[in-house]
């Protein structure tokens, strides 16, 4: 067994997990390394942040997913460095040698050089981010209910979402639903439906990757949900209790106690490691510029898949940082490894684009399938089925279905718990 | 409205919430104060700690439960003091006056004067306790998988549950199932079914409130699940990595990295407040000794219900600290308040004991219904239905049912996420 080909995969997201699964019958030893013990279905993370689903509903324990795959080990560990010369991954508590390495560590959010904004405007990438965001949103209403000062109360009732991409649109739309429907009868002093929800986007429209008519449809649906959409608005400053935006010449400071960040993306630090250790080139958000076969130039034994890769060979632009390209890339790399072992020829990676979906709220979504553009209810039904079918583990699919059906008919979100370190006394 | 009778309830557990709900049509203003924004179904908390259910499945947002009850306000706040003279509750950030006060703040765990044990042997009372316990249990197996030293690995594979009451029996039995069933195929180096699970109980049998034959049945079921039951064993010391127990003359130190505390109960600190401010008498675990009508002696306007009350008028012994007496007491107090307002006579509180249930594992439970004693599968079915029917909110009932059915047929627990502060590197 000593000379079995060793494949090490860093990251159990869509890219890493699909590569691991596709290697099930390959004559290799697979080690999947992740900091978390679960695969997270990130497209639905905003539903955890807004109290519709529980974290476990969108997370599948990696060991469970791979338990019947005898050539595969799961390692709960953090990869801190890649020694490309010595062909080993350095962990925070050990090291692990590889013959082939797949790096699939994705991305996190960035604040365009203003890291000090993070504590006032948290982003949404992990389960902990989601429960923290849920806590902030629910505590804002709780604090407003008890705040006697009208101006302070208004700041607690103002929610600013920064970034008009899919995550920002989903968060803002859902906040609109929470304020207008979910919490309608919950309070005695405040009226949650008077909450002010702002979506701030720097470009001239929301959902920039979509065709302009669908962006316009999304804007209308957001407005109907009570969201004020501010396009062409740059965030100039974020501080405790306020956000300052500039629209053209006009600068405005908005008092708010809840700012949610859905704007900048920064590739994982392992990209920089590949630049230092393997001579990889990074683009301006830190993604690794890969060859047509997804390898690092000069290192045919190192593959990069998912958000961390900049693959521009097909369209001249990097593939979007969403699940389908990551899944397809993971499978392609697994097949490439198998073909190499059996000495077969390998074609370059080709991404098959099935289209683009974004949801805004209840029965409201946009779908760009290339040959067909939809918005409203039909797009939402497509969104629903695609997400439901892609959730890993049958039990979670069932639980999500039950909760969505409940949410649809009652508009109630039962997972709205304030958890975490004791939040009392409220910061009035 | 200024002279409407003001009822303040501290605590949204079984006692406080049932009082609030029963006051729905009473001509009073109700304020329910809780530190959490949800009512927690504590009897199933151990299922969150062991990855079978998500926190939201056993929690119901208090505002949601009471949203259609227009005479009732919910206040997310912490009561720090009771000013019995001035008839007001002092909060960490304000105060609130009352005409009638219901104190229902329950209990937490105690370490019999050894508070230093807490960090090594956490207890189980809150959602945060449960997710922390889940993290410890899952990380123990993860760390064992990576630990090269055999003795250290054995300590990670040893789980000690202190206390053979219902919670301890449930935790130990479930740990047995996790080791033997859930994680069976998950690891490559360790064999989870070789985990050592000890249940340590100071008295001569587990489940002391049950008749001896049922205790014996529970012991057998635990043994079948791979749990070593040590009765007549006193915990002498708990330190980092070991627990010392004494059985008769023999003292033994057991190396273990996971100790779960299910032993001592200590009444909420508001009991001491009532002693200081209202002259109440406390028993040795800090419970308030109440009158036959559940009031504090000398203060007919202050009621104590649930775990915090010592009501011994009926049987000579305090009522057990479980849900049914708390629920019945809450309803009794609400009715008493209504009857007082309309000048009607009031009978003393009478607890109707429906029996005692404890579950040990899959298809294993004991039931003492007074007129009928059951163990094994029939007791488990009763346990199942009673718990399912008593969960607050219909959606949660449905979600719990789906997850229990899944667990029964597949023995898989999908909510086994390691969350919380980043646990890496593992403490090898």
């Amino acid at each position: 067994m000593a000379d079995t080909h060793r494949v090490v995969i860093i990251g159990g997201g869509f890219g890493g997990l699909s590569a691991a699964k596709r290697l099930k019958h390959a004559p290799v030893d697979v080690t999947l390394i992740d900091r978390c013990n679960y695969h997270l279905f990130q497209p639905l993370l905003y539903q955890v942040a807004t109290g519709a689903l529980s974290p476990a509903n969108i997370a599948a324990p990696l060991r469970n997913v791979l338990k019947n795959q005898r050539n595969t080990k799961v390692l709960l560990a953090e990869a801190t460095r890649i020694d490309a010369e010595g062909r080993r991954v350095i962990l925070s508590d050990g090291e692990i040698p590889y013959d082939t390495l797949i790096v699939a560590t994705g991305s996190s959010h960035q604040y365009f050089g203003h890291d000090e904004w993070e504590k006032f405007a948290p982003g949404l990438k992990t389960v902990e981010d989601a429960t923290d965001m849920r806590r902030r949103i629910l505590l804002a209403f709780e604090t407003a209910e008890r705040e006697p000062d009208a101006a302070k109360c208004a700041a607690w009732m103002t929610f600013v979402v920064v970034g008009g991409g899919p995550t920002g649109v989903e968060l803002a739309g859902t906040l609109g639903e929470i304020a207008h429907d979910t919490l309608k009868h919950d309070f005695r002093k405040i009226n949650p439906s008077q909450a002010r929800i702002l979506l701030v986007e720097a470009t001239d429209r929301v959902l920039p990757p979509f065709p302009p008519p669908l962006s316009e449809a999304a804007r209308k649906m957001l407005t109907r949900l009570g969201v004020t959409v501010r396009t062409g608005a740059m965030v100039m400053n974020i501080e405790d209790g306020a956000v300052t935006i500039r629209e053209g010449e006009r600068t405005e400071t908005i008092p708010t106690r809840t700012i949610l960040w859905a704007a900048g993306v920064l590739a994982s630090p392992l990209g920089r490691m590949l630049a230092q250790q393997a001579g990889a080139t990074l683009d301006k958000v830190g993604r690794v510029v890969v060859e047509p076969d997804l390898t690092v130039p000069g290192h045919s034994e190192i593959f990069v898949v998912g958000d961390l890769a900049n693959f521009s060979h097909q369209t001249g632009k990097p593939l979007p940082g969403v699940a389908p390209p990551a899944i397809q890339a993971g499978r392609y790399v697994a097949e490439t490894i198998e073909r190499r072992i059996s000495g077969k020829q390998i074609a370059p990676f080709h991404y098959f684009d099935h289209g683009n979906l974004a949801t805004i709220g209840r029965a409201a979504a946009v779908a760009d399938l290339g040959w067909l553009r939809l918005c409203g209810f039909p797009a939402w039904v497509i969104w629903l089925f695609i997400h439901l079918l892609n959730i890993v583990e049958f039990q979670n699919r069932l639980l999500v279905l039950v909760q969505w059906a409940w949410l649809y008919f009652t508009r109630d979100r039962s997972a709205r718990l304030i958890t975490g370190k004791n939040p009392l006394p409220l910061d009035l």
Side-chain angles (χ1 to χ4, degrees), chain A:
Chain A
M1 287 295 283
D3 53 0
T4 307
H5 190 90
R6 296 161 303 182
V7 178
V8 171
I9 304 171
I10 314 177
F14 287 108
L17 185 59
S18 69
K21 285 167 83 176
R22 186 53 66 101
L23 286 168
K24 182 170 184 174
H25 301 295
V28 294
D29 270 347
V30 180
T31 304
L32 177 64
I33 303 172
D34 202 292
R35 286 187 295 195
C36 293
N37 75 328
Y38 48 83
H39 164 77
L40 183 65
F41 194 77
Q42 267 183 353
L44 292 178
L45 198 53
Y46 81 97
Q47 297 214 350
V48 173
T50 52
L53 296 175
S54 283
N57 303 147
I58 59 161
L62 285 168
R63 292 194 185 283
N64 200 37
V65 176
L66 298 166
K67 69 178 169 189
N68 295 322
Q69 197 163 319
R70 302 306 297 180
N71 67 345
T72 305
K73 276 207 300 274
V74 174
L75 209 60
L76 181 69
E78 178 157 21
T80 54
R81 207 156 62 76
I82 291 163
D83 174 8
E85 207 57 53
R87 297 202 175 179
R88 52 191 190 139
V89 175
I90 314 298
L91 310 174
S92 52
D93 53 356
E95 58 171 69
I96 183 153
Y98 63 79
D99 297 310
T100 298
L101 177 66
I102 305 174
V103 187
T105 46
S107 59
S108 61
H109 26 265
Q110 68 152 317
Y111 292 85
F112 308 117
H114 291 280
D115 289 350
E116 72 278 11
W117 293 356
E118 182 166 13
K119 71 175 160 194
F120 308 119
L124 186 61
K125 278 285 176 189
T126 67
V127 163
E128 287 79 7
D129 289 345
T131 49
D132 176 60
M133 212 175 251
R134 183 175 76 182
R135 204 166 71 83
R136 287 177 186 243
I137 294 167
L138 296 171
L139 273 179
F141 286 104
E142 293 289 343
T143 315
E145 173 81 351
R146 295 195 52 199
E147 176 58 65
D149 182 274
K152 285 183 185 169
C153 181
W156 282 111
M157 294 277 281
T158 303
F159 299 82
V160 177
V161 179
V162 182
T167 305
V169 165
E170 284 159 356
L171 279 174
T174 312
L175 279 171
E177 293 190 331
I178 289 176
H180 287 94
D181 295 324
T182 313
L183 301 181
K184 195 151 79 180
H185 301 294
D186 273 19
F187 293 89
R188 299 292 177 258
K189 211 195 93 204
I190 60 165
N191 177 356
S193 66
Q194 283 170 4
R196 208 175 145 210
I197 298 149
L198 269 71
L199 179 63
V200 177
E201 163 62 33
T203 71
D204 63 344
R205 58 193 177 95
V206 297
L207 299 177
F210 283 79
L214 290 185
S215 291
E216 181 52 25
R219 200 189 57 73
K220 279 193 187 134
M221 289 186 257
L222 283 166
T223 308
R224 220 175 306 139
L225 287 167
V227 177
T228 307
V229 179
R230 306 274 287 254
T231 50
M234 292 277 295
V235 170
M236 305 305 292
N237 189 36
I238 292 177
E239 62 202 302
D240 194 10
V243 57
T244 303
I245 58 173
R246 197 179 67 195
E247 281 176 281
E249 296 301 296
R250 215 165 59 86
T251 297
E252 184 186 358
T253 296
I254 301 160
T256 169
R257 302 304 304 231
T258 314
I259 308 165
L260 308 179
W261 189 260
V265 158
L266 182 69
S268 135
L270 282 188
R272 292 197 294 281
M273 290 293 154
L274 286 174
Q276 286 163 24
Q277 310 283 324
T281 308
L282 304 185
D283 68 11
K284 65 182 198 301
V285 296
R287 285 177 296 200
V288 176
V289 178
V290 293
E291 298 280 8
D293 63 354
L294 299 173
T295 56
V296 172
H299 283 275
S300 64
E301 80 285 6
I302 305 181
F303 293 88
V304 184
V305 301
D307 281 29
L308 181 58
N310 176 328
F311 175 86
S312 315
H313 302 278
Q314 195 171 327
T315 61
K317 284 194 302 184
L319 296 178
V322 291
I327 293 171
Q328 292 181 29
R331 287 183 190 149
Y332 166 83
V333 168
E335 280 156 22
T336 299
I337 292 168
E338 272 207 271
R339 293 179 83 87
R340 279 184 186 174
I341 288 172
S342 48
K344 287 187 194 141
Q345 275 223 301
I346 296 140
F349 175 59
H350 181 86
Y351 169 53
F352 188 78
D353 187 355
H354 295 273
N356 239 334
L357 283 165
T359 179
I360 291 106
R362 185 172 185 270
V366 291
D368 172 21
L369 308 181
W371 52 280
L372 181 67
R373 289 174 187 175
L374 293 168
C375 63
F377 188 80
W380 183 72
V381 170
I382 293 174
W383 179 91
L384 215 75
F385 275 92
I386 286 184
H387 283 76
L388 213 46
L389 290 176
N390 280 290
I391 291 173
V392 175
E393 296 201 324
F394 178 76
Q395 186 196 5
N396 281 338
R397 230 167 281 163
L398 205 61
L399 292 173
V400 169
L401 180 63
V402 168
Q403 287 172 94
W404 282 356
W406 186 267
L407 178 60
Y408 184 79
F409 291 110
T410 68
R411 305 181 184 222
D412 173 34
R413 299 163 179 272
S414 75
R416 46 182 208 271
L417 311 187
I418 300 175
T419 54
K421 49 191 182 312
N422 199 336
L424 298 167
L426 297 175
D427 173 24
L428 292 176

